Amino acid sequence: MPDNKAQNCIINLEGNTYEFPVIIGSEGEKAIDISKLRDTTGYVTLDIGYKNTGATKSNITFLDGELGILRHRGYSIEDLAEKANFLEVAYLLLKGELPNKDQFEDFDESIRHHTLVNEDLQNIFKTFPTGSHPMGQLIAMISSLSAYYPKALDPNRSAESKNRTVLRLLAKMPTICAMIYKKRMGHPVVYPNNNLDYVSNFLNMTFKHVSDSDYQPDPVVVDAMNKLLILHADHEQNCSASTVRLVGSSQANLYATIAAGVAALWGPLHGGANQEVLEMLESIKADGGNVQKWVDKAKDKNDPFRLMGFGHRVYKNFDPRAKIIKKTCDDVLNRLGINDPVLEIAKKLEEAALTDPYFVERKLYPNVDFYSGIIYRAIGFPTEMFTALFALGRLPGWIAQWQEMSTENQPIGRPRQIYTGQTPRSFIPRGER
Ligand code: SDX
């Protein structure tokens, strides 16, 4: 364990000297604890986009952006994606340890009890115009759950009641995502079959037709979905996880808090990128497949086009998830006998960008969103469902982040600012302006 006693940070301001503690994390990350900065110096820090600001200490996920490392509770993402299933990883994120056989069975069983959603929730779908974006529906459905479980609104409810809300969300998210898909297709809803495992049940609710008595999810698809959900499960203090922590810090109920996380994820710079990547690849294909033309567009400051699925706030090396997804992509398409021309375009685009000085200098590599959509499409999901699938995977991570924040009784999040607007001025009556 590194020596956690580092030299204090000395700051000289306006002729005064101040000392602030330095914190060193279990993986050697260093931070200056400035929680007393304003009280002692009158200064605040300014860090637009929080590129250099730690919002919390956390035991859940560790990223090393330079080395392309991702671990959950100390386990590498490579090991988890290869050897665990999604529900085991959800348990790990929430409880801090991988479940033993009994613990897994209890967890799995307790989730199966809650997979149904209230029939009245289907009325919400009726209010959405056909073809509405799944993320708007998902936000509405998740926050609507608070109406059916009003006890969840009490911030002082028991730990057992909070845990029931966690189980309800984990159990109902696949059902809601499948309902959104069915409504989009104009097909009747297929109810949960609690004899199936978590991922198979989701695929069954999604792709089984009510008249289709012998539908069985393809094991290749079940394995790929488990991997994709694991690879999206948590990613420390990203935009949507930070949103969950901030909303949760006001003691808003967990349904509203998770709905806020889904809203943040929707943005094309965040989880919405997986949909944007597929649309970008389709545009390149429709444009004749000239990848260099689009790489040049992405470099042109006068062109708003960005290479979607490329670049990352933290990873300045390969996103380890992208490597796993790229391999899974090849594997799934081969085993399903699908030849998707956009996969070849994606590979050519990656090759062109990774040898281009613009991307090399800025350390822009494919991220988790670059290949994931190709697999989702191969499985049969429409492009607009991709970000909802990201949310399905990210749910246990969001809940783990919320749980850590709330059990540590962290204060309500309330950043400061530097005001740069008008200085005091007298009010002038309208007739005299
Ligand atoms: C996710 O934070 C997480 O952990 C997120 C996530 C998770 O699991 O929760 O990993 C999921 O959101 C992945 C990212 C998905 N988004 C995209 O793929 C959208 C395309 N990528 C970018 O818009 C961008 O790379 C971000 C938003 C991901 C990161 O942006 P930053 O860190 O704010 O970096 P920046 O915008 O300041 O870019 C630095 C430079 C700029 O050029 P210069 O001003 O230095 O000349 O790199 C350029 C940018 O113009 N740049 C790109 C680019 N990404 C950055 N140029 C072209 N194409 C791109 N994709």
Side-chain angles (χ1 to χ4, degrees), residues 65-77:
E66 277 63 40
L67 299 178
I69 291 172
L70 169 57
R71 296 195 201 110
H72 295 312
R73 305 284 191 182
Y75 293 98
S76 75
I77 192 62

PDB file of all heavy atoms in Angstrom, residues 65-77:
ATOM      1  N   GLY A  65      -6.571   6.236 -17.040  1.00  0.00           N
ATOM      2  CA  GLY A  65      -6.767   6.666 -18.427  1.00  0.00           C
ATOM      3  C   GLY A  65      -5.533   6.549 -19.274  1.00  0.00           C
ATOM      4  O   GLY A  65      -5.596   6.275 -20.461  1.00  0.00           O
ATOM      5  N   GLU A  66      -4.363   6.703 -18.637  1.00  0.00           N
ATOM      6  CA  GLU A  66      -3.106   6.629 -19.399  1.00  0.00           C
ATOM      7  C   GLU A  66      -2.809   5.176 -19.779  1.00  0.00           C
ATOM      8  O   GLU A  66      -2.341   4.886 -20.856  1.00  0.00           O
ATOM      9  CB  GLU A  66      -1.953   7.206 -18.559  1.00  0.00           C
ATOM     10  CG  GLU A  66      -1.837   8.728 -18.611  1.00  0.00           C
ATOM     11  CD  GLU A  66      -3.067   9.451 -18.046  1.00  0.00           C
ATOM     12  OE1 GLU A  66      -3.597   8.980 -17.015  1.00  0.00           O
ATOM     13  OE2 GLU A  66      -3.533  10.449 -18.650  1.00  0.00           O
ATOM     14  N   LEU A  67      -3.087   4.261 -18.842  1.00  0.00           N
ATOM     15  CA  LEU A  67      -2.762   2.839 -19.098  1.00  0.00           C
ATOM     16  C   LEU A  67      -3.958   2.058 -19.635  1.00  0.00           C
ATOM     17  O   LEU A  67      -3.832   0.875 -19.959  1.00  0.00           O
ATOM     18  CB  LEU A  67      -2.238   2.190 -17.805  1.00  0.00           C
ATOM     19  CG  LEU A  67      -0.950   2.800 -17.217  1.00  0.00           C
ATOM     20  CD1 LEU A  67      -0.575   2.097 -15.902  1.00  0.00           C
ATOM     21  CD2 LEU A  67       0.203   2.700 -18.226  1.00  0.00           C
ATOM     22  N   GLY A  68      -5.132   2.722 -19.711  1.00  0.00           N
ATOM     23  CA  GLY A  68      -6.303   2.001 -20.219  1.00  0.00           C
ATOM     24  C   GLY A  68      -6.727   0.866 -19.293  1.00  0.00           C
ATOM     25  O   GLY A  68      -6.994  -0.247 -19.728  1.00  0.00           O
ATOM     26  N   ILE A  69      -6.787   1.181 -17.974  1.00  0.00           N
ATOM     27  CA  ILE A  69      -7.176   0.180 -16.973  1.00  0.00           C
ATOM     28  C   ILE A  69      -8.560   0.519 -16.429  1.00  0.00           C
ATOM     29  O   ILE A  69      -8.859   1.685 -16.168  1.00  0.00           O
ATOM     30  CB  ILE A  69      -6.166   0.170 -15.805  1.00  0.00           C
ATOM     31  CG1 ILE A  69      -4.802  -0.375 -16.266  1.00  0.00           C
ATOM     32  CG2 ILE A  69      -6.697  -0.667 -14.626  1.00  0.00           C
ATOM     33  CD1 ILE A  69      -3.714  -0.230 -15.190  1.00  0.00           C
ATOM     34  N   LEU A  70      -9.404  -0.514 -16.288  1.00  0.00           N
ATOM     35  CA  LEU A  70     -10.728  -0.355 -15.667  1.00  0.00           C
ATOM     36  C   LEU A  70     -10.930  -1.537 -14.722  1.00  0.00           C
ATOM     37  O   LEU A  70     -10.796  -2.690 -15.142  1.00  0.00           O
ATOM     38  CB  LEU A  70     -11.827  -0.327 -16.730  1.00  0.00           C
ATOM     39  CG  LEU A  70     -13.284  -0.436 -16.253  1.00  0.00           C
ATOM     40  CD1 LEU A  70     -13.652   0.655 -15.261  1.00  0.00           C
ATOM     41  CD2 LEU A  70     -14.234  -0.409 -17.447  1.00  0.00           C
ATOM     42  N   ARG A  71     -11.178  -1.238 -13.427  1.00  0.00           N
ATOM     43  CA  ARG A  71     -11.428  -2.307 -12.456  1.00  0.00           C
ATOM     44  C   ARG A  71     -12.661  -1.935 -11.640  1.00  0.00           C
ATOM     45  O   ARG A  71     -12.865  -0.774 -11.291  1.00  0.00           O
ATOM     46  CB  ARG A  71     -10.236  -2.444 -11.495  1.00  0.00           C
ATOM     47  CG  ARG A  71      -8.941  -2.866 -12.162  1.00  0.00           C
ATOM     48  CD  ARG A  71      -7.905  -3.336 -11.136  1.00  0.00           C
ATOM     49  NE  ARG A  71      -6.558  -3.249 -11.710  1.00  0.00           N
ATOM     50  CZ  ARG A  71      -5.638  -2.352 -11.322  1.00  0.00           C
ATOM     51  NH1 ARG A  71      -5.931  -1.479 -10.358  1.00  0.00           N
ATOM     52  NH2 ARG A  71      -4.455  -2.295 -11.907  1.00  0.00           N
ATOM     53  N   HIS A  72     -13.441  -2.948 -11.315  1.00  0.00           N
ATOM     54  CA  HIS A  72     -14.574  -2.765 -10.404  1.00  0.00           C
ATOM     55  C   HIS A  72     -14.267  -3.498  -9.097  1.00  0.00           C
ATOM     56  O   HIS A  72     -14.050  -4.718  -9.129  1.00  0.00           O
ATOM     57  CB  HIS A  72     -15.862  -3.318 -11.022  1.00  0.00           C
ATOM     58  CG  HIS A  72     -16.309  -2.582 -12.253  1.00  0.00           C
ATOM     59  ND1 HIS A  72     -16.383  -1.212 -12.330  1.00  0.00           N
ATOM     60  CD2 HIS A  72     -16.682  -3.032 -13.479  1.00  0.00           C
ATOM     61  CE1 HIS A  72     -16.803  -0.858 -13.542  1.00  0.00           C
ATOM     62  NE2 HIS A  72     -16.990  -1.927 -14.253  1.00  0.00           N
ATOM     63  N   ARG A  73     -14.180  -2.775  -8.009  1.00  0.00           N
ATOM     64  CA  ARG A  73     -13.885  -3.368  -6.685  1.00  0.00           C
ATOM     65  C   ARG A  73     -12.626  -4.241  -6.763  1.00  0.00           C
ATOM     66  O   ARG A  73     -12.544  -5.283  -6.120  1.00  0.00           O
ATOM     67  CB  ARG A  73     -15.076  -4.226  -6.219  1.00  0.00           C
ATOM     68  CG  ARG A  73     -16.409  -3.496  -6.184  1.00  0.00           C
ATOM     69  CD  ARG A  73     -16.546  -2.573  -4.999  1.00  0.00           C
ATOM     70  NE  ARG A  73     -17.939  -2.100  -4.856  1.00  0.00           N
ATOM     71  CZ  ARG A  73     -18.340  -1.254  -3.919  1.00  0.00           C
ATOM     72  NH1 ARG A  73     -17.468  -0.759  -3.057  1.00  0.00           N
ATOM     73  NH2 ARG A  73     -19.587  -0.852  -3.838  1.00  0.00           N
ATOM     74  N   GLY A  74     -11.670  -3.833  -7.602  1.00  0.00           N
ATOM     75  CA  GLY A  74     -10.374  -4.517  -7.702  1.00  0.00           C
ATOM     76  C   GLY A  74     -10.321  -5.574  -8.786  1.00  0.00           C
ATOM     77  O   GLY A  74      -9.238  -6.078  -9.105  1.00  0.00           O
ATOM     78  N   TYR A  75     -11.459  -5.923  -9.373  1.00  0.00           N
ATOM     79  CA  TYR A  75     -11.447  -6.960 -10.429  1.00  0.00           C
ATOM     80  C   TYR A  75     -11.327  -6.283 -11.801  1.00  0.00           C
ATOM     81  O   TYR A  75     -12.049  -5.323 -12.086  1.00  0.00           O
ATOM     82  CB  TYR A  75     -12.736  -7.784 -10.387  1.00  0.00           C
ATOM     83  CG  TYR A  75     -12.872  -8.632  -9.132  1.00  0.00           C
ATOM     84  CD1 TYR A  75     -13.634  -8.193  -8.047  1.00  0.00           C
ATOM     85  CD2 TYR A  75     -12.224  -9.854  -9.022  1.00  0.00           C
ATOM     86  CE1 TYR A  75     -13.757  -8.961  -6.898  1.00  0.00           C
ATOM     87  CE2 TYR A  75     -12.336 -10.631  -7.867  1.00  0.00           C
ATOM     88  CZ  TYR A  75     -13.101 -10.174  -6.811  1.00  0.00           C
ATOM     89  OH  TYR A  75     -13.211 -10.934  -5.668  1.00  0.00           O
ATOM     90  N   SER A  76     -10.466  -6.815 -12.683  1.00  0.00           N
ATOM     91  CA  SER A  76     -10.285  -6.176 -14.000  1.00  0.00           C
ATOM     92  C   SER A  76     -11.522  -6.392 -14.860  1.00  0.00           C
ATOM     93  O   SER A  76     -12.197  -7.431 -14.760  1.00  0.00           O
ATOM     94  CB  SER A  76      -9.066  -6.782 -14.714  1.00  0.00           C
ATOM     95  OG  SER A  76      -9.400  -8.072 -15.213  1.00  0.00           O
ATOM     96  N   ILE A  77     -11.793  -5.434 -15.719  1.00  0.00           N
ATOM     97  CA  ILE A  77     -12.966  -5.530 -16.606  1.00  0.00           C
ATOM     98  C   ILE A  77     -12.791  -6.717 -17.538  1.00  0.00           C
ATOM     99  O   ILE A  77     -13.767  -7.377 -17.902  1.00  0.00           O
ATOM    100  CB  ILE A  77     -13.180  -4.205 -17.372  1.00  0.00           C
ATOM    101  CG1 ILE A  77     -14.548  -4.192 -18.074  1.00  0.00           C
ATOM    102  CG2 ILE A  77     -12.063  -3.956 -18.365  1.00  0.00           C
ATOM    103  CD1 ILE A  77     -15.748  -4.277 -17.146  1.00  0.00           C
TER     104      ILE A  77
END
